[in-house]
Amino acid sequence: MNIIQKIIDKLDYVLLFSLLMLFIISLVSIYSAAGQYSQDPSYYLIRQAIWYGIGFFAMMMVLVLEYEHYRTLAIPLYSVGIISLLAVHFFGKESKGAQRWIELPGGIELQPSEFMKILLIIMLATAIYKISEKNLTTGRRDLYTLVSVALLGIVPFYLIFDQPDLGTALVTAAITGTVLFISGISMNIILLIIAGVLGILGLLVWLYIYQPSIFDLFFKEHQMERIYGWLQPDQYASSFGYQLSGARMGIGSGQLFGSGFEQGTMSQSGRVPEIHTDFIFTIIGEEFGFIGAAVLLIVYFILIYRMIIIAINCRDKFGTCLVAGVIGLFSFQIFQNIGMTIGLMPITGITLPFVSYGGSSILTNMIAIGIVLNVHVHTKRYMFDD
Amino acid sequence: MIKKKKKKAQLPFRLNILFFIVFLMFSVLIIQLGVVQILNGEKYEEEINKTVKDTTKIPVPRGKIYDRNHDLVVDNKPLYSITYTPPKGVQAKDKLELAQKLSNYITMYDTTDKKDKKAKLKSISERQRKEYWYLLHEEEAVAKLKDGELEKLSNAEQYKTILKRITDEELAEITEKDEHIILIKRELDKAYSLTPQIVKNENVTSEEYAKVAEHLDELPGINATTDWNREYLYDETFKNILGNISTEKIGLPAEKLQYYLAKGYSRNDRVGTSGLEEQYEDVLRGRKEQIQYSTNKNGKIVDTKTVVKGERGKDLVLTVDMEFQEKVDEVVRKELKTAINKFPYQNRFLEDALAVVLNPQTGEILAVSGQHYDRDEKKFVDNSYRTLYDAHRPGSTVKGASVLAGYQSGVISPGDAFYDRPLKIAGTKKMGSWMNLGYVNDLDALRRSSNVYMFYIALRMGGDYRNPFPNNASVKFNNSAFQEMRNYFYQFGLGVKTGIDFPFESTGYVGQTPQAGNLLHFAIGQYDTYTPMQLAQYVATIANDGYRVRPHFLKEIRNPDGNAEDELGTIYRSKNTEVLNRVEMDSSYIKRVQEGFRQALQSPGGTGYSYFANKDYKPAGKTGTAENEVFVNGNKIYTENLSLIGYAPYDEPEIAFAVIVPYLGSVRGQHPIQHKIGEGILDTYFELKKERDQGEEKAKDTKEEETDSDE
């Protein structure tokens, strides 16, 4: 009783309020998007609400165990995650050209890459915490941190990239990068890494232009098609730029105030596939206009702002890293998802957090919020801290 | 201690940087949103609202064809039909669903005829069955692909592989009800986007029509309409000339596909493929109703409007008199039959008798008859097209033109006489008239059909003026005489197109060896060949005082605006008499030949005297017999073409005709078929005229009587 009371007292209600806003936005958008997929427009709405319920419950469950104890669970959980990714690799179910799901007895389908994001955050935070606890010189500590973070990050990245699921793989990379940045590692190393990433990108462009045969070893044609579709959506409007040109046309036509609920020409036409999941932003942009989209972005911004505050207030490195990982996770997913619908980023199959329809996604995001709230609730506040 | 504190301060700093980066990312999103929605929003909205306009054309009934007395010759028989116009982007699944629904309302085979049903069901190919099974069991079908194949194979290859793997047991699941659905779906699949395709138009019962019409709202793209079939009220009579139209299945004829597509036809349109149906396609086709559908970006039809109001094809009124035509056919057939029966052996090569009858002053064709005896089938068939397609040696009928050529070239003058006895030119066979006629002038030459007279004309035109021509002498011959003579003949339509309104006409064979002997033959109709239509134009030109008029089948085009179903509409266009040329000969020369023609049929000694002397209608004309060879197993067998051209009455001609019957045996007592046909044609014409005049008078009388009684 005491614990629950404590938790309820110390919850971050601004953050929870922004979650409520996202819940409402999600239901409205899914209802509008579902018309073309199902006879019963509330089919997806009901399921999304149920998933929110399950997610909320999971979030509260995460709160029960003080986050410091995650450290003990980190290695087993991370191992389970990697093993299930391997299971997907060898026994996974194939759908739409990618192998992302494993089927559990009882017909439940799981997408381990979703949960892997959380497990990766915990594992990275644990590793950084453990290294910082050791009495090491700065140089040595930085080296250990870099190597362990790189190793822990690259394994799930590769396994997910190989599914292939470039979007989620990039999310793990974003998480890894964010956590590494917050770990306190020397700025020089950070700059070096940024330089390295830019160098690799440059090399890839060079290979693509001058040594396409070598380039082809790394990238499959369908991945390149996304790049083409992104760079020239209108030219490829009949094939791989199809989604993008449809989505962008819809969002653009929304203009300032939008065409109104269920009034979006493109949104309701069926021309934008996956409009209830990955392309849900099309509905918001077209039917609720720039104002609607801006409201959504503000809500997201408040959400992340609160997390930053929580991270700053948390005096514990482990907690900070956990929250930073979640910030990396959400920021990147939001930027990537919205960015791809308006032509800023190439198309990858990732969801818009809390808004897109989908059980695994909602559940993962709620657990992530649970971790952040856990850090918040269990941060000791020093009334007279300097 | 200090060191530790510094370390602690580092974290919030990095978090601030992270926050700043997030802020930057959100700013980029907002800016890009501003660009997309506010800066370019209008452009996108315009693009979305842009609608695609498509036009669908709905066929209209073809124009009808009437004869000169406004008797209906070709009618349209309405047929109920169920059509399908696929909307844009229709999927195989949609068509399947449609076929399933339709199967409740229509039957694709004759339910009372088991054979028909069996044949129709048997016509379903294995592939069609497999495609159907695939659509019904899509998940199972896709499961047939092995793991790697989904990635490796293209969509088409995947589909092919799946179809291959559908087993016989699985196909056995297809029930008879399914087969019926396949039959319907097969028709739906033939349709092009936004173009009506007939699903069923044979034996659609009124019940089926009504059921489909009632449920149109649940059958997207389906329509219940009426289609038309051509109906020929005179059966085979004149059918060759009327021509054919293509069937719905064949649509546009392949060889003229581009031509018709450029003219706005649809691929499955029925068009005239021969005869007058082809000639007057533009008139008969009518104007299709054009409905414009505006489709917006998401494929919904937002607006439907009729851009062009449909109008059925215009009606043709022909110059032909169908009652007369039937009678002429009867005469020609009867005489052909008589000739064949009289000398079955000698006339074993005889199979055609051809006749053309027209009004010499207007060129209106009153009847064309081509009767053909099919020896294999042992029956007479209507081959009226042969009057335009088949050219034969005309014999002495061309002598009118020969004499006129003589006058015009100045080598003879009216009244000049020659001594008719066989000529012998060195190196050729002796050539004479049918008997030695002694001294003949130009009129005698036409009346009694002197070949020798024509020979002298030809020799003189070639530059040899010797008279009498010395026995077995060589000819001094200028080859240009050939061209000169032909040029005169061309003026009468002999050897050139008559200009008739028909898709094809032959101009005959033109001899290629310009020697004296051949010109002599040419002058008596033994060298070049002509069609009966050319001969008719030639005699009409003489009857018409040298004016060559264009023969034509079309009298008027009528608008389809008659009040009642059977009433003719207003005149859209009339075909006027068209004089193609006036022959250059002086009218006194033409009068001379007209007199010769009159004597040939009406004066004692005339070659047609015994047939036409006592006719009230006073005809003029010229008979002909041409030698013709048939080669059988390398043996040359002599046959004769019998011909007759003429007009009546001689002083005020209202009818001209040409008859030619090729390949009769040369036998004493031969049936005078050409005379009999000519006589039959003229008798029939004037009897019919009298009958009609009397009928009219009678009608007038009764009318007058009525008015009398009123008083």
Side-chain angles (χ1 to χ4, degrees), chain B residues 56 110 223 408 459 462 559 584 650 660:
Chain B
T56 292
D110 188 351
N223 204 358
Q408 188 62 25
L459 286 171
N559 287 312
E584 55 185 296
Y650 76 94
I660 189 156

Side-chain angles (χ1 to χ4, degrees), chain A residues 141 181-182 185 187 248-249 251-253 255 265-266 269 285 289-290 297 305 315 331 335 342 386, chain B residues 5 7-8 11 14-15 17 19 22 25-26 28 30 32-33 36-38 41 44-45 47-48 298:
Chain A
R141 195 199 62 215
F181 180 66
I182 297 301
I185 201 165
M187 210 58 194
R248 203 167 62 177
M249 202 183 289
I251 293 167
S253 74
Q255 301 189 63
T265 309
M266 293 311 286
S269 72
F290 181 75
L297 283 176
Y305 168 73
R315 302 306 172 94
S331 308
F335 183 73
I342 55 179
D386 46 357
Chain B
K5 228 180 182 173
K7 222 163 117 192
K8 277 246 163 187
L11 278 183
R14 292 259 172 116
L15 281 166
I17 293 179
F19 185 55
V22 170
M25 282 161 72
F26 274 67
V28 170
I30 286 281
Q32 175 73 0
L33 268 176
V36 171
Q37 295 195 289
I38 309 216
Y44 287 120
E45 190 174 16
E47 202 171 323
I48 279 187
N298 71 32

Side-chain angles (χ1 to χ4, degrees), chain B residues 14-280:
Chain B
R14 292 259 172 116
L15 281 166
N16 280 326
I17 293 179
L18 181 62
F19 185 55
F20 182 66
I21 292 170
V22 170
F23 174 77
L24 278 184
M25 282 161 72
F26 274 67
S27 306
V28 170
L29 284 182
I30 286 281
I31 290 167
Q32 175 73 0
L33 268 176
V35 169
V36 171
Q37 295 195 289
I38 309 216
L39 230 55
N40 299 330
E42 237 165 285
K43 187 188 89 188
Y44 287 120
E45 190 174 16
E46 265 170 33
E47 202 171 323
I48 279 187
N49 291 337
K50 204 160 58 184
T51 52
V52 182
K53 288 189 173 132
D54 287 296
T55 313
T56 292
K57 296 171 179 168
I58 295 169
V60 291
R62 207 170 165 80
K64 300 176 191 179
I65 301 177
Y66 296 84
D67 83 342
R68 65 182 299 118
N69 302 317
H70 299 178
D71 283 335
L72 196 52
V73 181
V74 184
D75 197 4
N76 294 312
K77 199 167 135 199
L79 289 173
Y80 291 125
S81 67
I82 312 294
T83 64
Y84 175 54
T85 313
K88 267 195 173 170
V90 69
Q91 301 294 311
K93 275 242 165 205
D94 305 334
K95 289 189 190 168
L96 175 70
E97 200 181 310
L98 196 57
Q100 284 165 340
K101 282 184 195 159
L102 261 182
S103 70
N104 297 324
Y105 309 129
I106 62 172
T107 320
M108 296 302 281
Y109 40 75
D110 188 351
T111 42
T112 57
D113 183 358
K114 282 207 165 154
K115 259 191 195 159
D116 180 61
K117 181 175 170 181
K118 220 174 162 185
K120 287 264 167 62
L121 294 184
K122 232 183 162 177
S123 71
I124 303 171
S125 69
E126 195 180 329
R127 186 178 168 95
Q128 284 162 347
R129 284 170 200 272
K130 285 183 168 175
E131 282 175 342
Y132 179 76
W133 190 91
Y134 179 100
L135 281 175
L136 282 187
H137 307 87
E138 207 158 344
E139 274 183 29
E140 286 170 56
V142 175
K144 284 179 182 295
L145 283 180
K146 295 185 182 120
D147 287 349
E149 288 169 341
L150 207 58
E151 279 186 8
K152 259 185 268 159
L153 300 179
S154 69
N155 284 345
E157 285 168 339
Q158 285 180 15
Y159 188 65
K160 234 167 108 184
T161 316
I162 292 171
L163 288 191
K164 218 186 279 169
R165 290 192 188 147
I166 294 172
T167 62
D168 289 349
E169 288 91 68
E170 283 164 335
L171 285 185
E173 292 167 19
I174 293 178
T175 63
E176 203 175 281
K177 193 163 178 279
D178 291 321
E179 286 176 332
H180 185 228
I181 294 169
I182 298 174
L183 283 178
I184 296 172
K185 189 178 161 288
R186 192 163 72 173
E187 297 303 317
L188 301 183
D189 287 340
K190 286 182 193 163
Y192 298 100
S193 184
L194 295 170
T195 308
Q197 157 78 26
I198 286 175
V199 180
K200 180 179 180 182
N201 71 345
E202 275 166 36
N203 309 318
V204 176
T205 64
S206 48
E207 196 191 345
E208 285 176 326
Y209 179 82
K211 271 188 191 167
V212 172
E214 260 170 50
H215 295 95
L216 285 181
D217 52 332
E218 55 174 87
L219 301 167
I222 292 290
N223 204 358
T225 60
T226 37
D227 185 33
W228 295 268
N229 235 1
R230 283 306 227 192
E231 195 176 24
Y232 301 92
L233 292 136
Y234 287 86
D235 298 321
E236 284 305 302
T237 304
F238 200 58
K239 173 80 177 47
N240 280 201
I241 301 294
L242 292 170
N244 287 312
I245 60 173
S246 61
T247 61
E248 174 77 28
K249 264 189 194 133
I250 292 167
L252 299 180
E255 70 276 9
K256 289 183 102 176
L257 184 67
Q258 291 310 321
Y259 168 80
Y260 282 123
L261 286 180
K263 287 191 117 180
Y265 283 76
S266 305
R267 280 168 191 276
N268 58 358
D269 275 348
R270 307 171 67 174
V271 295
T273 53
S274 62
L276 297 175
E277 295 272 21
E278 182 184 358
Q279 181 76 20
Y280 291 107

